[in-house]
Amino acid sequence: MSTLLIGIAPEHAAGLVAGLLTLVVGAMWPGGSPSLVDKWARALLAFSGALHLFLPFGHPAGALMVSGYVLSGLAFLVLAWRAHVGRGWRIGTAILAPVTVVAYLINGEDPDQVGILTMLLELTAFGLAVATTRRVGRVFGSVATVFTVFLAGAVVWIASFVAHQATSADSQNPSVGHSHEGEHEHLARAQAGVIMRPLPSHHATPAEVSASIDLAAATSRGVKRFARLEDALAAGYQFNFGQDKGLNVHLEHKEYKKDGRALDPEKPESLVYVIEDGKATLLGVVYVMEKAGDPGLAPGGPITRWHAHNLCVSIMPPGLGIVTPYGGCPAFSVQITISEMMHVWVVDPPGGPFAENIPDEWARSYHREHGLPS
Amino acid sequence: MDTTSKASVVFVLLLVQAGTILLATIGELLFMGGLPFYLIVPVIRVTLLLFFGVMMLRGSRTGLVGIIVLQALSLAGLMFSIGVGLLPQVDFTLTLTGLATTVVLPIVAGFYCVQMLLGVRREPRPSALGAQAGPPDPTLPLAPQPISGGRA
């Protein structure tokens, strides 16, 4: 339940409640078109309309943005009313729904779970408009519905990963998915492959900065003995998924993962190497919490921010994927979220020791100069 | 409530479901190094979804049963994921969109299909009443009709 709430940006809660209340009221509203298609269209359009109208509450948007929300909200409500009374709503919906979705995507409106759900419901209304009538052409409408659902989800997905990578830019300001002048962190709430807990504060206190520096230094000291790959293998670390070459090779220690200790610089759960051209370079460690769902220890506050991954483990054929912004997995997959983890780099990469990732080019260049024979 | 418009709603839900499955498939494909092997099962699943959806629109009982089975499989997969999430090493992340696409959508689509299936079964067959075989009655549930739920 906590992850469900994490996905809802507080600024969007009023809109979500208004949308859900509209669904309830709409279902009890007497009369109207007997067609189930019209009823569904009414519900979806009314949800979207109410949500847009209530978004400005608690949402620090400018006058232009507020006008956009109000106008689109009213337009959706007018269409919902027309669907209710059985008058033409399809052409308006076929235009308004995709235009609204495009507006979200190009305006940099970072989606949280409320945003993604609203987008999905608007695209469902679009499907009802274009794929249930021969006037537009059912085949064309069907293809358009599948394509728009796919494309919109793909754009959100890419945006959320780009934002996640962007944390590397400034380790002192770990503002994943910030938008609206830094007030939100919606993309961290997209929950599409990466799960992060909201930060109580985006600015580290002097004590937290000091603690994070201490942790980085202790980690560097603690894993110095694993600078040579052979020493790590001899100590019990094993290649993850058998991957033994590349710019981002993870080795994990099964015993350290269940030793009941968290954030132990002497016994990190995983090590990260570059292994190429007969050489290996230790880049850093990954601290991993023992139990999935437990929050990571964060002595450095927002600087030492943990994350988890929600993954799809497919059974047929065996494979691994990531959960989509729509919360789904491929056919015959199990959806899991692994324990929270945090990278700490020991090679002073761009973004500092707590950067989310190291750029490939930087890692390759560093490896060329510092790699040890393996 | 007319069956034709119910079938139309289910068909649109299947289209949305197909879009979400294809997106998830691309995610796995990229993760697994682009091996086309990983396309096979999801593409079969999406093809079956749409095939049964079209059959349902044409009034086929097999289409309804097929959709019910596929939605039941989706729900069983979700239950399995929740069960696996009880293990200490992994967790299950419930999201709003996941709730919509993996719980509400399969339940609604399956429920409507069951309703339509029961509607078909309850309808007396013309042959049982001694009626002569003729063109399908457009008032019968699931009789082939133009799919339209209202005015454009």
Side-chain angles (χ1 to χ4, degrees):
Chain A
M1 183 55 78
S2 65
T3 52
L4 185 77
L5 298 178
I6 287 172
I8 300 170
E11 297 83 7
H12 292 172
L16 178 65
V17 171
L20 293 174
L21 283 177
T22 309
L23 282 183
V24 175
V25 172
M28 294 187 296
W29 202 269
S33 166
S35 161
L36 192 64
V37 173
D38 287 349
K39 287 181 191 295
W40 268 77
R42 178 193 69 189
L44 296 174
L45 293 167
F47 174 89
S48 192
L51 185 134
H52 279 97
L53 279 184
F54 277 79
L55 271 185
F57 293 95
H59 204 284
L64 190 66
M65 188 79 96
V66 171
S67 309
Y69 287 143
V70 171
L71 285 176
S72 62
L74 290 174
F76 274 117
L77 288 178
V78 168
L79 288 170
W81 177 255
R82 292 182 69 86
H84 175 66
V85 295
R87 296 174 68 183
W89 54 270
R90 285 188 160 84
I91 294 172
T93 303
I95 295 168
L96 184 63
V99 165
T100 309
V101 170
V102 169
Y104 296 149
L105 299 177
I106 63 174
N107 268 352
E109 180 64 16
D110 306 338
D112 63 336
Q113 277 286 310
V114 176
I116 301 169
L117 177 70
T118 307
M119 184 177 81
L120 187 65
L121 297 184
E122 286 166 3
L123 292 177
T124 307
F126 171 77
L128 289 170
V130 299
T132 61
T133 173
R134 287 183 174 171
R135 294 188 190 191
V136 181
R138 200 186 308 148
V139 173
F140 174 76
S142 301
V143 172
T145 303
V146 174
F147 181 71
T148 50
V149 169
F150 173 85
L151 187 66
V155 172
V156 169
W157 216 355
I158 292 166
S160 71
F161 273 101
V162 168
H164 185 63
Q165 300 289 333
T167 46
S168 300
D170 183 2
S171 64
Q172 297 300 304
N173 182 22
S175 50
V176 178
H178 269 209
S179 65
H180 307 298
E181 291 78 41
E183 293 297 321
H184 294 182
E185 48 173 21
H186 291 180
L187 287 173
R189 299 180 191 274
Q191 299 179 315
V194 181
I195 307 283
M196 299 178 91
R197 293 177 191 275
L199 292 170
S201 165
H202 293 277
H203 302 289
T205 63
E208 288 170 336
V209 172
S210 174
S212 67
I213 291 170
D214 290 348
L215 175 63
T219 303
S220 289
R221 283 195 305 273
V223 295
K224 218 169 189 173
R225 60 197 171 109
F226 302 128
R228 282 167 41 85
L229 178 65
E230 286 72 14
D231 294 336
L233 292 169
Y237 284 95
Q238 297 172 346
F239 290 110
N240 226 353
F241 299 113
Q243 187 201 356
D244 58 2
K245 278 189 179 56
L247 295 172
N248 195 19
V249 179
H250 283 61
L251 280 79
E252 64 175 11
H253 199 298
K254 293 196 185 322
E255 292 305 315
Y256 294 169
K257 288 184 93 169
K258 52 183 180 184
D259 61 2
R261 301 171 66 86
L263 220 52
D264 183 350
E266 298 291 326
K267 295 178 178 176
E269 287 76 12
S270 291
L271 301 174
V272 185
Y273 286 86
V274 179
I275 306 176
E276 264 188 2
D277 306 326
K279 295 195 294 183
T281 306
L282 176 64
L283 296 179
V285 311
V286 187
Y287 291 113
V288 184
M289 294 300 292
E290 187 166 329
K291 191 170 179 298
D294 281 355
L297 308 174
I303 299 172
T304 48
R305 193 172 189 188
W306 294 64
H307 69 273
H309 292 288
N310 48 346
L311 303 170
C312 304
V313 181
S314 67
I315 296 160
M316 203 170 66
L320 206 61
I322 38 180
V323 176
T324 72
Y326 299 134
C329 283
F332 297 108
S333 292
V334 176
Q335 191 186 125
I336 59 164
T337 301
I338 54 178
S339 300
E340 292 197 8
M341 59 186 70
M342 177 175 63
H343 289 102
V344 181
W345 307 107
V346 297
V347 290
D348 196 22
F354 299 99
E356 207 54 63
N357 284 294
I358 292 183
D360 285 352
E361 272 315 304
W362 190 92
R364 190 172 280 123
S365 163
Y366 186 90
H367 173 64
R368 255 186 247 118
E369 288 180 31
H370 299 90
L372 299 174
S374 66
Chain B
M1 195 150 310
D2 67 301
T3 305
T4 310
S5 91
K6 197 174 276 179
S8 295
V9 169
V10 171
F11 186 66
V12 170
L13 294 179
L14 298 184
L15 294 176
V16 171
Q17 197 172 35
T20 62
I21 292 171
L22 288 176
L23 183 65
T25 303
I26 296 298
E28 183 174 42
L29 202 60
L30 292 175
F31 218 81
M32 300 307 293
L35 287 173
F37 189 51
Y38 288 93
L39 278 172
I40 298 171
V41 174
V43 166
I44 290 174
R45 172 95 193 272
V46 167
T47 306
L48 279 177
L49 263 183
L50 299 182
F51 174 70
F52 287 136
V54 170
M55 284 181 77
M56 170 196 64
L57 287 176
R58 291 181 177 167
S60 159
R61 192 178 289 182
T62 309
L64 291 172
V65 173
I67 294 168
I68 292 167
V69 170
L70 288 177
Q71 302 309 326
L73 277 175
S74 292
L75 289 170
L78 176 76
M79 292 299 128
F80 189 58
S81 291
I82 293 172
V84 170
L86 295 176
L87 297 171
Q89 295 86 358
V90 291
D91 198 10
F92 177 77
T93 297
L94 182 65
T95 65
L96 264 185
T97 51
L99 204 58
T101 59
T102 62
V103 181
V104 176
L105 195 157
I107 287 176
V108 169
F111 178 71
Y112 280 164
C113 286
V114 169
Q115 276 191 331
M116 286 189 277
L117 199 61
L118 293 177
V120 170
R121 283 187 178 159
R122 280 184 194 141
E123 199 65 37
R125 292 183 181 182
S127 57
L129 300 172
Q132 285 185 323
D137 181 351
T139 61
L140 275 178
L142 289 180
Q145 296 171 47
I147 299 302
S148 175
R151 276 178 270 175

PDB file of all heavy atoms in Angstrom, chain A residues 34-50:
ATOM      1  N   PRO A  34     -28.592   4.824 -23.082  1.00  0.00           N
ATOM      2  CA  PRO A  34     -28.522   3.436 -22.618  1.00  0.00           C
ATOM      3  C   PRO A  34     -27.285   2.702 -23.137  1.00  0.00           C
ATOM      4  O   PRO A  34     -26.979   1.613 -22.664  1.00  0.00           O
ATOM      5  CB  PRO A  34     -29.792   2.814 -23.220  1.00  0.00           C
ATOM      6  CG  PRO A  34     -30.080   3.631 -24.436  1.00  0.00           C
ATOM      7  CD  PRO A  34     -29.580   5.015 -24.149  1.00  0.00           C
ATOM      8  N   SER A  35     -26.599   3.292 -24.082  1.00  0.00           N
ATOM      9  CA  SER A  35     -25.436   2.608 -24.672  1.00  0.00           C
ATOM     10  C   SER A  35     -24.293   2.522 -23.665  1.00  0.00           C
ATOM     11  O   SER A  35     -23.920   3.524 -23.037  1.00  0.00           O
ATOM     12  CB  SER A  35     -24.966   3.375 -25.912  1.00  0.00           C
ATOM     13  OG  SER A  35     -23.635   3.007 -26.215  1.00  0.00           O
ATOM     14  N   LEU A  36     -23.726   1.316 -23.517  1.00  0.00           N
ATOM     15  CA  LEU A  36     -22.606   1.134 -22.586  1.00  0.00           C
ATOM     16  C   LEU A  36     -21.369   1.900 -23.060  1.00  0.00           C
ATOM     17  O   LEU A  36     -20.587   2.385 -22.239  1.00  0.00           O
ATOM     18  CB  LEU A  36     -22.288  -0.359 -22.440  1.00  0.00           C
ATOM     19  CG  LEU A  36     -21.338  -0.710 -21.302  1.00  0.00           C
ATOM     20  CD1 LEU A  36     -21.934  -0.371 -19.955  1.00  0.00           C
ATOM     21  CD2 LEU A  36     -20.950  -2.174 -21.348  1.00  0.00           C
ATOM     22  N   VAL A  37     -21.211   2.027 -24.359  1.00  0.00           N
ATOM     23  CA  VAL A  37     -20.069   2.792 -24.881  1.00  0.00           C
ATOM     24  C   VAL A  37     -20.189   4.244 -24.417  1.00  0.00           C
ATOM     25  O   VAL A  37     -19.221   4.850 -23.947  1.00  0.00           O
ATOM     26  CB  VAL A  37     -20.009   2.708 -26.427  1.00  0.00           C
ATOM     27  CG1 VAL A  37     -18.917   3.639 -26.965  1.00  0.00           C
ATOM     28  CG2 VAL A  37     -19.739   1.288 -26.875  1.00  0.00           C
ATOM     29  N   ASP A  38     -21.395   4.794 -24.532  1.00  0.00           N
ATOM     30  CA  ASP A  38     -21.615   6.171 -24.079  1.00  0.00           C
ATOM     31  C   ASP A  38     -21.367   6.295 -22.574  1.00  0.00           C
ATOM     32  O   ASP A  38     -20.793   7.277 -22.106  1.00  0.00           O
ATOM     33  CB  ASP A  38     -23.054   6.614 -24.395  1.00  0.00           C
ATOM     34  CG  ASP A  38     -23.256   6.869 -25.885  1.00  0.00           C
ATOM     35  OD1 ASP A  38     -22.247   6.908 -26.615  1.00  0.00           O
ATOM     36  OD2 ASP A  38     -24.414   7.005 -26.315  1.00  0.00           O
ATOM     37  N   LYS A  39     -21.818   5.294 -21.820  1.00  0.00           N
ATOM     38  CA  LYS A  39     -21.632   5.349 -20.357  1.00  0.00           C
ATOM     39  C   LYS A  39     -20.137   5.344 -19.992  1.00  0.00           C
ATOM     40  O   LYS A  39     -19.697   6.077 -19.108  1.00  0.00           O
ATOM     41  CB  LYS A  39     -22.334   4.168 -19.684  1.00  0.00           C
ATOM     42  CG  LYS A  39     -23.859   4.274 -19.662  1.00  0.00           C
ATOM     43  CD  LYS A  39     -24.439   3.069 -18.957  1.00  0.00           C
ATOM     44  CE  LYS A  39     -25.946   2.966 -19.140  1.00  0.00           C
ATOM     45  NZ  LYS A  39     -26.697   4.068 -18.529  1.00  0.00           N
ATOM     46  N   TRP A  40     -19.393   4.479 -20.666  1.00  0.00           N
ATOM     47  CA  TRP A  40     -17.947   4.415 -20.394  1.00  0.00           C
ATOM     48  C   TRP A  40     -17.271   5.712 -20.811  1.00  0.00           C
ATOM     49  O   TRP A  40     -16.417   6.225 -20.097  1.00  0.00           O
ATOM     50  CB  TRP A  40     -17.321   3.222 -21.142  1.00  0.00           C
ATOM     51  CG  TRP A  40     -17.306   1.991 -20.298  1.00  0.00           C
ATOM     52  CD1 TRP A  40     -18.358   1.172 -20.035  1.00  0.00           C
ATOM     53  CD2 TRP A  40     -16.195   1.463 -19.580  1.00  0.00           C
ATOM     54  NE1 TRP A  40     -17.967   0.150 -19.206  1.00  0.00           N
ATOM     55  CE2 TRP A  40     -16.637   0.305 -18.920  1.00  0.00           C
ATOM     56  CE3 TRP A  40     -14.867   1.835 -19.436  1.00  0.00           C
ATOM     57  CZ2 TRP A  40     -15.807  -0.463 -18.116  1.00  0.00           C
ATOM     58  CZ3 TRP A  40     -14.027   1.065 -18.649  1.00  0.00           C
ATOM     59  CH2 TRP A  40     -14.501  -0.072 -17.987  1.00  0.00           C
ATOM     60  N   ALA A  41     -17.659   6.216 -21.964  1.00  0.00           N
ATOM     61  CA  ALA A  41     -17.064   7.474 -22.427  1.00  0.00           C
ATOM     62  C   ALA A  41     -17.362   8.580 -21.423  1.00  0.00           C
ATOM     63  O   ALA A  41     -16.480   9.372 -21.058  1.00  0.00           O
ATOM     64  CB  ALA A  41     -17.601   7.833 -23.807  1.00  0.00           C
ATOM     65  N   ARG A  42     -18.598   8.622 -20.951  1.00  0.00           N
ATOM     66  CA  ARG A  42     -18.983   9.643 -19.977  1.00  0.00           C
ATOM     67  C   ARG A  42     -18.110   9.538 -18.720  1.00  0.00           C
ATOM     68  O   ARG A  42     -17.588  10.534 -18.226  1.00  0.00           O
ATOM     69  CB  ARG A  42     -20.458   9.457 -19.598  1.00  0.00           C
ATOM     70  CG  ARG A  42     -20.942  10.438 -18.558  1.00  0.00           C
ATOM     71  CD  ARG A  42     -22.279  10.014 -18.004  1.00  0.00           C
ATOM     72  NE  ARG A  42     -22.161   8.793 -17.197  1.00  0.00           N
ATOM     73  CZ  ARG A  42     -23.191   8.101 -16.729  1.00  0.00           C
ATOM     74  NH1 ARG A  42     -24.425   8.491 -17.002  1.00  0.00           N
ATOM     75  NH2 ARG A  42     -23.014   7.032 -15.999  1.00  0.00           N
ATOM     76  N   ALA A  43     -17.949   8.311 -18.239  1.00  0.00           N
ATOM     77  CA  ALA A  43     -17.175   8.130 -17.004  1.00  0.00           C
ATOM     78  C   ALA A  43     -15.722   8.566 -17.194  1.00  0.00           C
ATOM     79  O   ALA A  43     -15.168   9.305 -16.366  1.00  0.00           O
ATOM     80  CB  ALA A  43     -17.241   6.668 -16.573  1.00  0.00           C
ATOM     81  N   LEU A  44     -15.105   8.111 -18.277  1.00  0.00           N
ATOM     82  CA  LEU A  44     -13.687   8.410 -18.492  1.00  0.00           C
ATOM     83  C   LEU A  44     -13.469   9.900 -18.729  1.00  0.00           C
ATOM     84  O   LEU A  44     -12.530  10.506 -18.210  1.00  0.00           O
ATOM     85  CB  LEU A  44     -13.159   7.600 -19.688  1.00  0.00           C
ATOM     86  CG  LEU A  44     -13.172   6.076 -19.522  1.00  0.00           C
ATOM     87  CD1 LEU A  44     -12.766   5.385 -20.818  1.00  0.00           C
ATOM     88  CD2 LEU A  44     -12.237   5.646 -18.400  1.00  0.00           C
ATOM     89  N   LEU A  45     -14.354  10.497 -19.537  1.00  0.00           N
ATOM     90  CA  LEU A  45     -14.199  11.919 -19.847  1.00  0.00           C
ATOM     91  C   LEU A  45     -14.485  12.773 -18.607  1.00  0.00           C
ATOM     92  O   LEU A  45     -13.805  13.786 -18.375  1.00  0.00           O
ATOM     93  CB  LEU A  45     -15.143  12.307 -20.998  1.00  0.00           C
ATOM     94  CG  LEU A  45     -14.809  11.663 -22.348  1.00  0.00           C
ATOM     95  CD1 LEU A  45     -15.970  11.843 -23.340  1.00  0.00           C
ATOM     96  CD2 LEU A  45     -13.533  12.235 -22.923  1.00  0.00           C
ATOM     97  N   ALA A  46     -15.470  12.361 -17.816  1.00  0.00           N
ATOM     98  CA  ALA A  46     -15.789  13.122 -16.603  1.00  0.00           C
ATOM     99  C   ALA A  46     -14.644  13.028 -15.597  1.00  0.00           C
ATOM    100  O   ALA A  46     -14.304  14.012 -14.931  1.00  0.00           O
ATOM    101  CB  ALA A  46     -17.086  12.605 -15.986  1.00  0.00           C
ATOM    102  N   PHE A  47     -14.046  11.842 -15.487  1.00  0.00           N
ATOM    103  CA  PHE A  47     -12.883  11.673 -14.591  1.00  0.00           C
ATOM    104  C   PHE A  47     -11.789  12.652 -14.991  1.00  0.00           C
ATOM    105  O   PHE A  47     -11.255  13.393 -14.159  1.00  0.00           O
ATOM    106  CB  PHE A  47     -12.358  10.232 -14.682  1.00  0.00           C
ATOM    107  CG  PHE A  47     -11.077  10.009 -13.917  1.00  0.00           C
ATOM    108  CD1 PHE A  47     -11.101   9.624 -12.586  1.00  0.00           C
ATOM    109  CD2 PHE A  47      -9.843  10.199 -14.519  1.00  0.00           C
ATOM    110  CE1 PHE A  47      -9.932   9.423 -11.873  1.00  0.00           C
ATOM    111  CE2 PHE A  47      -8.659  10.010 -13.820  1.00  0.00           C
ATOM    112  CZ  PHE A  47      -8.711   9.612 -12.499  1.00  0.00           C
ATOM    113  N   SER A  48     -11.490  12.656 -16.287  1.00  0.00           N
ATOM    114  CA  SER A  48     -10.407  13.511 -16.770  1.00  0.00           C
ATOM    115  C   SER A  48     -10.756  14.990 -16.574  1.00  0.00           C
ATOM    116  O   SER A  48      -9.898  15.795 -16.176  1.00  0.00           O
ATOM    117  CB  SER A  48     -10.142  13.206 -18.240  1.00  0.00           C
ATOM    118  OG  SER A  48      -8.962  13.804 -18.653  1.00  0.00           O
ATOM    119  N   GLY A  49     -12.010  15.336 -16.868  1.00  0.00           N
ATOM    120  CA  GLY A  49     -12.437  16.728 -16.719  1.00  0.00           C
ATOM    121  C   GLY A  49     -12.305  17.206 -15.287  1.00  0.00           C
ATOM    122  O   GLY A  49     -11.732  18.273 -15.020  1.00  0.00           O
ATOM    123  N   ALA A  50     -12.823  16.414 -14.348  1.00  0.00           N
ATOM    124  CA  ALA A  50     -12.764  16.811 -12.933  1.00  0.00           C
ATOM    125  C   ALA A  50     -11.323  16.894 -12.461  1.00  0.00           C
ATOM    126  O   ALA A  50     -10.941  17.826 -11.741  1.00  0.00           O
ATOM    127  CB  ALA A  50     -13.551  15.808 -12.091  1.00  0.00           C
TER     128      ALA A  50
END
